[in-house]
Amino acid sequence: MRTSSFLLIIIVAFLYAIGSPAIGCGERMGNQLWNTAIENGWEPIGNINDQHIQELGRWAVLEFGKHVNCVLKFNKVVSGRQQLVSGMNYELIIEASDIGGKEDKYKAEVYEQTWTHKRQLLSFAKVN
């Protein structure tokens, strides 16, 4: 009985693993949780070269890499905007390179609450 239960669990796990599609470099991760087409409090990031903004971009690329079958190298945040909420929402346009050195732009949506040290990658997708 124990062996058959264990075997059943292994089979189910295997079927789940092969049925779950791997996400690659050009595919969307996560769901866009807010409508960034509506301006509602969004403002351009004043200094895109600010160390904190660049670090957020680097973190977003690393976090994306933890969840996908893709290796990207962070180059820089090239533009973005922010929205003050109970923390800060960021929409960052990031330049990154794949393992072959090909550069592309990606849009990362990040929520950060500095006083609780909470940071969450809400979505990450290639920009056309």
Side-chain angles (χ1 to χ4, degrees), residues 59-80:
W59 175 86
V61 169
L62 289 172
E63 192 67 16
F64 174 68
K66 292 178 185 178
H67 302 284
V68 297
N69 184 22
C70 172
V71 177
L72 290 175
K73 176 187 167 280
F74 172 79
N75 295 338
K76 63 182 175 179
V77 176
V78 294
S79 66

Side-chain angles (χ1 to χ4, degrees), residues 91-110:
E91 180 184 87
L92 305 173
I93 303 301
I94 299 169
E95 187 178 278
S97 304
D98 66 17
I99 199 160
K102 181 177 180 266
E103 287 186 358
D104 273 310
K105 289 188 179 156
Y106 297 85
K107 180 169 109 175
E109 295 175 339
V110 177

